[in-house]
């Protein structure tokens, strides 16, 4: 919708298409590494992933599938109990997984769902994890159909629950911790008690708030970010900013427009949420002068990427944030977001097609947080050729990247004795790309067992689905007689790419087989099977071109190597007629 908006700063710094590149906050486009194969979820078509963050005791990914829960370690292995994989039987059906809400508090995961009694997952020793349905006391027991909450958050020692089927606009908050012992009372929803024969409401009692001004729209999520925020279908609400008691807790509208049911996320001092129907991604920030929140739609220039509606999103990055957006159609996009310097950079991340010809679709995602020495890791479940894979994607900073693999659903294998044959079961019948001993291997199709044989030997191979990154530049706005050069014939006369630690790539005014190689792998001296070195500097690209009104250029990286594009310098000829 912004094609031709040459008056916009976004047009001057934007591109027409950006796929499998990550726009960085400094400006370059960095090819994303490939995903790492973790496992196949046999006979399963969907899963829900949630982070169990036990702090110093470890971090785990909780995998919910049809009536079953499993746990993954950070290294991609399954948690075991008694010598076999720990599996917990649950009542969550496959069709219900998308509505599970998981929140961590003091090393315990609390799980709510509109069709189930609230539960908690605790970490122990034998077994390592347990799932327990909770029993509540007081005025709300949340133990019957229609009375199960669907969203939750914690603040000030209280557990906030909201949006039961019978009371879609109600918010409930548990009692505060017991004064003498400090013991939590998360399951105590006592609203009053008898004091000397008088029914009395104390400041420590549970809270019940029935909002009648939500215009009939259900509360979709709760989040604690300076205030208790409640997202409803037609508006966003906030509490009064005072210590919550039964007599002081209240909510008021801070933003109109509402949200969808995907959970909001807090990053730094901001809150991200999807708009109604998932047709926008918004950021809200508290403004002390107005004592409310201000909203900005950060998806205005990327609405075409989220037309099916945002299903979920997560945030990675300790040095610059990347928002990973999953849409209802299984497409994955990213938004490089740095509000301090005003950077918003969107990109698509297509996974290609499998042997069945179907587009590979992402089904769910979650973040395994890093620390000062490690980067965050994005965990995904991806449907490939009728099988659901669980994979991980690490996005390191370009300066520290050393061992990235640029193929998807990849496996890296080392051999004691060099070989030219490898078997990778999860890639059976698939076309694969690979690097062996730092050398490019040809794209080839595995047989029905996942075995592939090459014409040279190697001691180490990284193999997986081919990964293609591509970018198409916008129609340039050039100095010309008259108000604009848009619509005038122009021809590419000279083009120079500024690259950083890159290899391979191709370029052309048309996308296809006639594109010219940018770096023929080690500047023209590369031979198939030889090891490579990366190139940093300016590279002039000789491309055939013709005069047309577009003058747009494709830049593609389809080899399993890094590719970072710093700048494109293009000389055009414009026909002034």
């Amino acid at each position: 919708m912004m094609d031709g908006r040459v008056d916009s700063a976004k047009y001057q710094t934007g591109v027409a298409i950006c796929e499998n590149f990550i726009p960085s906050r400094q400006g370059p486009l960095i090819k994303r590494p490939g995903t790492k194969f973790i496992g196949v979820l046999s006979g399963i078509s969907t899963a829900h992933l949630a982070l169990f963050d036990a702090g110093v005791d470890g971090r785990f990914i909780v995998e919910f599938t049809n009536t079953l829960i499993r746990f993954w370690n950070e290294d991609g292995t399954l948690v075991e109990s008694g010598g076999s994989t720990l599996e917990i039987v649950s009542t969550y059906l496959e069709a219900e997984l998308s509505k599970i809400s998981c929140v961590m508090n003091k090393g315990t995961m609390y799980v709510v769902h509109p069709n189930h009694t609230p539960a908690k997952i605790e970490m122990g020793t034998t077994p390592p994890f347990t799932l327990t349905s909770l029993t509540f006391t007081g005025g709300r027991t949340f133990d019957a159909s229609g009375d199960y909450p669907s969203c939750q958050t914690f603040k000030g020692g209280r557990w906030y629950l909201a949006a039961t089927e019978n009371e879609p606009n109600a918010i409930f908050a548990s009692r505060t911790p017991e004064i003498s012992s400090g013991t939590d009372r998360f399951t105590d929803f006592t609203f009053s008690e008898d004091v000397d024969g008088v029914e009395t409401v104390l400041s420590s009692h549970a809270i019940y708030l029935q909002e009648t001004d939500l215009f009939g729209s259900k509360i979709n999520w709760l989040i604690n970010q300076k205030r208790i925020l409640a997202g409803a279908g037609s508006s966003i609400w906030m509490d009064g900013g005072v210590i919550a008691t039964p007599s002081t807790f209240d909510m008021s509208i801070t933003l109109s427009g509402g949200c969808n049911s995907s959970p909001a996320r807090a990053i730094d001092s901001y809150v991200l949420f999807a708009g109604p129907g998932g047709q926008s991604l918004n950021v809200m920030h508290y403004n002390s002068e107005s004592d409310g929140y201000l909203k900005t739609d950060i998806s205005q220039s990327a609405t075409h990427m989220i037309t099916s509606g945002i299903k979920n999103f997560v945030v990675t990055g300790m040095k610059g944030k990347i928002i990973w957006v999953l849409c209802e159609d299984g497409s994955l996009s990213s938004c490089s977001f740095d509000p301090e310097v005003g950077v918003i950079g969107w990109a698509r991340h297509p996974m290609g097609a499998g042997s069945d010809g179907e587009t590979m679709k992402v089904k769910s995602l979650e973040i395994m947080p890093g620390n000062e020495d490690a980067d965050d890791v994005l965990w995904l479940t991806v449907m490939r050729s009728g099988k659901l894979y669980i994979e991980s994607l690490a996005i390191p900073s370009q300066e520290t990247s050393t061992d990235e693999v640029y193929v998807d659903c990849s496996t890296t294998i080392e051999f004691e004795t060099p070989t030219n044959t490898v078997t990778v079961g999860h890639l059976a019948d698939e076309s694969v790309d690979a690097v062996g001993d730092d050398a490019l291997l040809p794209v080839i199709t595995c047989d029905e067992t996942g075995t592939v044989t090459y014409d040279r030997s190697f001691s180490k191979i990284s193999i997986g689905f081919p990964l293609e990154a591509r970018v198409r530049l916008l129609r340039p706005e050039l100095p010309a007689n008259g108000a604009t050069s848009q619509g005038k014939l122009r021809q590419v006369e000279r083009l120079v790419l500024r690259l950083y630690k890159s290899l391979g790539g191709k370029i052309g005014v048309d996308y296809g087989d006639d594109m010219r190689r940018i770096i023929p792998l080690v500047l023209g001296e590369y031979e198939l099977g030889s090891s490579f070195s990366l190139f940093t500097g300016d590279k002039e690209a000789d491309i055939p071109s013709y005069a047309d009104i577009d003058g747009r250029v494709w830049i593609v990286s389809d080899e399993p190597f890094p590719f970072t594009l710093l700048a494109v310098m293009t000389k055009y000829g414009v026909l002034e007629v």
Side-chain angles (χ1 to χ4, degrees):
M1 297 301 293
M2 296 185 68
D3 192 7
R5 281 293 308 276
V6 297
D7 59 320
S8 167
K10 291 182 179 181
Y11 190 95
Q12 303 304 323
T13 59
V15 294
I17 293 175
C18 185
E19 294 182 348
N20 287 325
F21 279 105
I22 297 175
S24 73
R25 57 180 176 171
Q26 295 88 353
L29 297 180
I30 302 173
K31 183 179 180 180
R32 74 158 174 88
T35 63
K36 176 184 176 182
F37 170 74
I38 294 177
V40 177
L41 306 183
S42 301
I44 295 170
S45 60
T46 190
H48 177 82
L49 304 181
L51 171 68
F52 191 103
D53 191 344
V56 296
D57 293 323
R59 296 184 176 106
F60 307 86
I61 293 293
V62 185
E63 169 206 300
F64 293 84
T65 54
N66 187 49
T67 68
L68 200 66
I69 302 174
R70 302 193 302 177
F71 302 83
W72 294 87
N73 295 298
E74 289 186 70
D75 63 1
T77 59
L78 281 163
V79 173
E80 296 186 346
S81 179
S84 58
T85 299
L86 173 65
E87 296 182 342
I88 296 177
V89 175
S90 78
T91 57
Y92 304 110
L93 301 177
E94 181 177 301
E96 300 174 326
L97 298 180
S98 63
K99 294 184 178 180
I100 290 177
S101 167
C102 299
V103 174
M104 294 295 304
N105 184 268
K106 296 183 179 180
T108 298
M109 174 178 281
Y110 291 82
V111 185
V112 302
H113 190 283
N115 298 340
H116 298 267
T117 301
K120 65 179 179 180
I121 297 176
E122 294 179 288
M123 188 176 181
T125 53
T126 306
F129 294 93
T130 57
L131 171 69
T132 306
S133 290
L134 296 173
T135 300
F136 295 83
T137 59
R140 286 294 186 277
T141 54
F142 307 113
D143 60 356
S145 177
D147 290 329
Y148 305 127
S150 59
C151 52
Q152 58 174 325
T153 192
F154 287 86
K155 185 180 182 182
R158 297 182 187 268
W159 186 15
Y160 290 79
L161 300 170
T164 67
E165 182 179 335
N166 292 332
E167 297 179 281
N169 309 138
I171 299 175
F172 312 89
S174 66
R175 298 198 69 177
T176 57
E178 205 279 327
I179 295 176
S180 60
S181 66
T183 303
D184 292 326
R185 295 188 284 194
F186 293 146
T187 58
D188 188 345
F189 281 78
T190 301
F191 298 116
S192 64
E193 62 184 74
D194 187 295
V195 178
D196 297 329
V198 178
E199 195 68 19
T200 304
V201 177
L202 303 176
S203 61
S204 62
H205 275 133
I207 297 171
Y208 168 70
L209 179 67
Q210 175 71 54
E211 276 297 347
T212 58
D213 298 328
L214 289 175
F215 309 109
S217 60
K218 175 179 175 292
I219 296 174
N220 289 322
W221 48 256
L222 295 175
I223 194 169
N224 172 20
Q225 180 71 332
K226 290 187 178 291
R227 306 284 184 89
I228 294 293
L229 297 171
S234 60
S235 54
I236 309 297
W237 292 64
M238 68 176 185
D239 72 19
V242 298
I243 295 176
T245 69
S247 62
T248 63
F249 184 73
D250 197 9
M251 302 287 286
S252 61
I253 292 177
T254 184
L255 293 172
S256 60
C259 61
N260 78 345
S261 59
S262 57
R265 307 285 181 179
I267 58 171
D268 300 330
S269 59
Y270 299 89
V271 172
L272 294 162
F273 67 94
Q279 296 299 306
S280 64
L281 183 64
N282 306 280
V283 59
M284 56 191 292
H285 184 261
Y286 179 74
N287 181 270
S288 57
E289 293 182 2
S290 63
D291 189 28
Y293 286 79
L294 304 178
K295 179 186 76 170
T296 300
D297 180 354
I298 62 173
S299 59
Q300 286 183 349
S301 59
T303 55
H304 56 294
M305 297 186 185
I306 57 175
T307 52
S308 67
I310 295 174
K311 179 180 180 181
N312 196 6
F313 61 92
V314 294
V315 184
T316 62
M318 299 183 67
K319 299 177 181 179
K321 306 298 182 183
I322 302 176
I323 307 164
W324 296 92
V325 180
L326 171 62
C327 286
E328 295 287 350
D329 61 0
S331 62
L332 179 68
S333 299
S334 69
C335 176
S336 302
F337 178 63
D338 189 341
E340 302 301 325
V341 294
V343 169
I344 301 173
W346 283 84
R348 285 192 178 104
H349 296 276
M351 298 288 176
S355 58
D356 60 358
E358 296 293 326
T359 299
M360 303 181 194
K361 297 181 179 180
V362 178
K363 305 291 283 187
S364 60
L365 72 175
E366 183 55 287
I367 297 299
M368 178 70 78
N371 50 43
E372 293 181 358
D373 301 319
D375 295 280
D376 294 347
V377 177
L378 177 67
W379 284 56
L380 306 162
T381 58
V382 186
M383 184 63 70
R384 301 180 183 273
S385 301
K387 295 180 289 186
L388 190 64
Y389 292 76
I390 186 165
E391 307 170 26
S392 65
L393 174 62
I395 308 294
S397 64
Q398 184 71 5
E399 290 297 333
T400 59
S401 59
T402 54
D403 270 334
E404 285 66 56
V405 175
Y406 292 87
V407 290
D408 275 338
C409 201
S410 68
T411 294
T412 298
I413 306 172
E414 297 188 40
F415 304 93
E416 293 184 1
T417 303
T419 180
N420 68 338
T421 300
V422 61
T423 299
V424 186
H426 73 274
L427 297 174
D429 296 320
E430 301 288 354
S431 293
V432 296
D433 208 353
V435 173
D437 292 342
D438 292 335
L440 178 67
L441 299 175
V443 175
I444 198 168
T445 300
C446 297
D447 67 15
E448 66 276 3
T449 68
T451 300
V452 59
T453 299
Y454 295 95
D455 59 0
R456 62 191 55 79
S457 298
F458 39 79
S459 298
K460 178 181 179 180
I461 186 173
S462 296
I463 185 171
F465 290 96
L467 167 62
E468 180 184 76
R470 62 179 191 164
V471 60
R472 191 183 192 192
L473 306 182
L474 288 163
R475 294 182 181 89
E477 174 64 5
L478 306 170
N481 295 328
T484 179
S485 65
Q486 300 296 301
K488 295 183 178 181
L489 293 175
R490 77 277 307 279
Q491 183 174 8
V492 178
E493 295 182 349
R494 183 173 181 268
L495 191 144
V496 177
L497 304 181
R498 183 160 295 161
L499 304 172
Y500 177 73
K501 292 184 178 179
S502 301
L503 189 62
K506 56 187 180 181
I507 191 167
V509 293
D510 294 312
Y511 177 78
D513 296 335
D514 294 334
M515 302 181 76
R516 298 290 180 88
R517 290 290 167 184
I518 299 170
I519 306 175
L521 306 185
V522 193
L523 302 180
E525 300 176 359
Y526 177 82
E527 293 181 3
L528 190 65
S530 301
S531 60
F532 64 87
S533 60
L534 300 179
F535 173 78
T536 296
D538 289 355
K539 179 68 176 176
E540 183 169 357
D542 176 24
I543 62 173
S545 64
Y546 47 85
D548 66 359
I549 62 172
D550 269 354
R552 297 193 284 188
V553 175
W554 284 95
I555 302 168
V556 177
S557 172
D558 57 357
E559 301 98 341
F561 297 118
F563 195 92
T564 298
L565 181 64
L566 302 182
V568 182
M569 288 74 73
T570 310
K571 180 181 179 182
Y572 290 92
V574 179
L575 185 60
E576 291 285 0
V577 293

